[in-house]
Amino acid sequence: MGGGAAGIGAAGAAKATDRDAEVTVFTEYEDAAYSPCGIPYVHGKEIPDFERLFLATKEAYRENGIDIHYQSKVTALDVGRKNVTVDGAEVGWDRLILGTGFNYADPGIPGTNLGGLYYVKNIRRAMEWDKVLDTVKVAVVVEASPLGLEMVTALAHRGIETHLVDKAPWALAEAADPDIAEPVQDSWAEMGVKMHWNTPARAFVGDDNGQVRAVRTDDGDLPAELVVVCTKKKPNVSLSAKEIKIGSTGGIVVDENMRTSHPDVYAAGDCTELPHGVSNLPIQGLSGSHAYAQGKVAGTCAAGGKRAYQPVYVPWGMVAGKWMIGGVAFGETLATALGIPFVMGVANGISRARYYPGVKKVRVKLLAEPGSLRLIGAQMVGGEGIKERADFLGMAVKTGITLRDLATMENVYSPPIGALNEPISVAAQNALAGLEQK
Ligand SMILES: Cc1cc2nc3c(=O)[nH]c(=O)nc-3n(C[C@H](O)[C@H](O)[C@H](O)COP(=O)(O)OP(=O)(O)OC[C@H]3O[C@@H](n4cnc5c(N)ncnc54)[C@H](O)[C@@H]3O)c2cc1C
């Protein structure tokens, strides 16, 4: 069930594991296996058209023996009798893989039934909304979530007067530290974005035709011809069953083979929850790359093969405004809020040789466990090279690398691509120097 990253990853892996397996996919959408991740960049006109977001043709799946049913919503699931109901007909299965993804959290305020509220998800709807964007002069983005950051940047690129409202005091407040978000916010201000922090949306206000015209806040009504709702992702488990255990985050509980509490039902992607490698606490709402990898594990195991998925450390990164931000596991704010003790090192460095054209600033913060000095998290903002650092530091946290290791790491120095001093190493050296002074 599901034609997103998890469902398609699972279908391909099941077929690769057992060529004779009959693999059927149901998706309620018109398409499968397109990249929703690219949608904000088409809206922002960085990507010229939606067509290039499709990853494979419908024929390619057919030729590979995967039977995809489009616009086919599963309306009931009977785990005891091993069937699902689609278009009124019951379809049996030996093994079921749930890849039903996420829903945006209900904003929980009046006016959610108005026209003009855009939840970015399905590519066909995005194509329709893209035409609407041509006519929009002023828009409000609700919540500075990862998608919110992308959509603010996209709308501003498109020349739309863009307002951002969020109840938190800075952008991406649950994941990013304020000093990491600050350059992004400064660049939005340069792009003309109006930010409203500590300002929850209280209501969507409509006109006589049922179209949104404003977002009500404690600072007054913000005029809006369009509102992009970027609330948190919540696991879509509306079709789960009593035999399938749901965890504390609202996601489906799975083991390392992505098997649910029912032996013949697997789940993968945003409908699940997974243990965090540092805290061991379950988390949900991961990324498309997690969903695809989990789908491959679920598909392989459901078809009789062996593959395991490991706890997650969640390296992340994105472009927001004129900057890239990223990190892994815990930042200073999150670790403090959770009462996790840490020592920290910070460095402000550069991405290339200081004389090389295009050199960009890079700020790195490293957090480590006191005593062992094992890395437990990192935060970064810079003009380039943030993704590669986040991936590297994700592995560093996972494998138990310490600040001492990072302080003495080797690094590439080549004027167009790397500076003499790697900011990660300098941040580690600064942390050690700070400890020696104590
Ligand atoms: C705008 C946008 C930007 C994103 N940007 C990034 C990014 O930059 N990086 C990144 O890693 N990830 C990104 N993502 C990916 C994303 O956040 C998810 O992690 C990913 O889509 C999860 O994949 P999934 O297969 O679990 O769920 P989804 O992709 O949500 O797929 C769910 C599938 O389930 C189907 N479905 C649900 N219920 C039923 C039913 N009852 N019957 C039939 N079918 C059903 C749907 O039709 C759909 O095919 C982005 C997503 C969006 C929408």
Side-chain angles (χ1 to χ4, degrees):
M1 274 169 63
I8 291 299
K15 204 69 196 167
T17 305
D18 179 357
R19 289 312 297 173
D20 297 328
E22 270 180 48
V23 178
T24 307
V25 177
F26 292 107
T27 171
E28 57 182 333
Y29 293 162
E30 298 88 338
D31 311 284
Y34 58 85
S35 171
C37 318
I39 293 173
Y41 303 97
V42 183
H43 287 328
K45 303 242 183 238
E46 283 92 355
I47 301 176
D49 55 66
F50 285 99
E51 279 63 40
R52 34 182 105 195
L53 303 190
F54 289 94
L55 308 173
T57 60
K58 293 184 175 176
E59 292 71 41
Y61 291 113
R62 263 198 298 278
E63 281 162 16
N64 278 307
I66 298 171
D67 182 19
I68 305 185
H69 296 246
Y70 302 93
Q71 293 177 282
S72 298
K73 184 168 177 151
V74 178
T75 50
L77 162 61
D78 189 333
V79 173
R81 293 175 51 229
K82 286 196 168 180
N83 67 41
V84 291
T85 305
V86 191
D87 295 329
E90 289 184 354
V91 181
W93 43 264
D94 298 317
R95 298 274 164 86
L96 175 71
I97 301 169
L98 298 166
T100 45
F102 71 96
N103 289 319
Y104 290 107
D106 183 342
I109 57 176
T112 47
N113 55 343
L114 291 169
L117 301 189
Y118 178 21
Y119 295 81
V120 189
K121 204 171 176 198
N122 177 324
I123 196 164
R124 299 289 178 117
R125 302 297 86 70
M127 290 171 178
E128 292 159 14
W129 281 105
D130 200 64
K131 296 193 183 90
V132 176
L133 285 175
D134 284 336
T135 68
V136 168
K137 296 207 168 40
V138 55
V140 175
V141 175
V142 174
E143 290 196 15
S145 61
L147 177 66
L149 269 62
E150 291 179 345
M151 285 304 296
V152 165
T153 308
L155 297 181
H157 270 170
R158 200 154 168 155
I160 295 172
E161 180 185 326
T162 306
H163 292 254
L164 171 62
V165 295
D166 194 301
K167 56 184 175 302
W170 65 83
L172 213 60
E174 283 186 11
D177 293 338
D179 54 325
I180 297 299
E182 193 179 313
V184 172
Q185 294 171 193
D186 289 347
S187 72
W188 278 337
E190 285 167 26
M191 293 161 76
V193 175
K194 313 271 189 315
M195 287 158 270
H196 307 266
W197 303 114
N198 302 304
T199 308
R202 298 289 184 199
F204 302 120
V205 182
D207 62 16
D208 293 344
N209 298 322
Q211 281 294 313
V212 73
R213 283 294 161 253
V215 175
R216 181 148 300 155
T217 73
D218 295 343
D219 293 340
D221 286 0
L222 301 172
E225 293 164 46
L226 172 101
V227 175
V228 189
V229 184
C230 300
T231 46
K232 262 194 189 160
K233 297 196 296 181
K234 296 275 179 197
N236 175 8
V237 293
S238 52
L239 262 182
S240 199
K242 64 177 185 325
E243 295 89 341
I244 300 168
K245 190 174 170 201
I246 303 294
S248 57
T249 70
I252 299 170
V253 176
V254 287
D255 66 12
E256 61 175 9
N257 303 125
M258 305 307 293
R259 193 191 293 254
T260 69
S261 51
H262 189 284
D264 291 324
V265 181
Y266 294 73
D270 278 356
C271 61
T272 65
E273 63 174 38
L274 276 303
H276 192 284
V278 176
S279 67
N280 277 325
L281 294 172
I283 55 170
Q284 57 83 209
L286 299 171
S287 73
S289 60
H290 290 95
Y292 186 60
Q294 290 165 18
K296 287 203 284 193
V297 172
T300 302
C301 296
K306 280 206 175 95
R307 208 161 179 165
Y309 196 75
Q310 298 180 354
V312 292
Y313 294 82
V314 203
W316 61 277
M318 59 186 303
V319 172
K322 297 177 183 171
W323 293 91
M324 296 179 192
I325 54 174
V328 57
F330 301 101
E332 187 183 1
T333 309
L334 186 58
T336 306
L338 293 174
I340 297 172
F342 61 87
V343 294
M344 193 170 77
V346 183
N348 292 307
I350 47 177
S351 61
R352 309 177 181 188
R354 83 186 144 66
Y355 50 78
Y356 200 90
V359 59
K360 305 268 175 34
K361 288 181 189 168
V362 176
R363 178 175 172 81
V364 175
K365 297 169 78 179
L366 301 178
L367 280 76
E369 186 179 62
S372 74
L373 300 187
R374 280 177 68 141
L375 196 68
I376 59 164
Q379 295 262 301
M380 289 171 286
V381 58
E384 60 185 358
I386 297 300
K387 175 246 177 323
E388 293 79 3
R389 288 184 173 87
D391 287 346
F392 165 71
L393 290 170
M395 278 307 286
V397 175
K398 185 172 183 171
T399 53
I401 295 283
T402 69
L403 289 178
R404 286 195 189 85
D405 299 320
L406 293 174
T408 55
M409 70 183 262
E410 297 173 78
N411 66 279
V412 174
Y413 169 44
S414 174
I417 54 171
L420 185 63
N421 293 307
E422 165 52 43
I424 290 174
S425 189
V426 179
Q429 291 162 25
N430 289 344
L432 296 180
L435 288 173
E436 276 168 20
Q437 282 167 12
K438 282 190 181 160

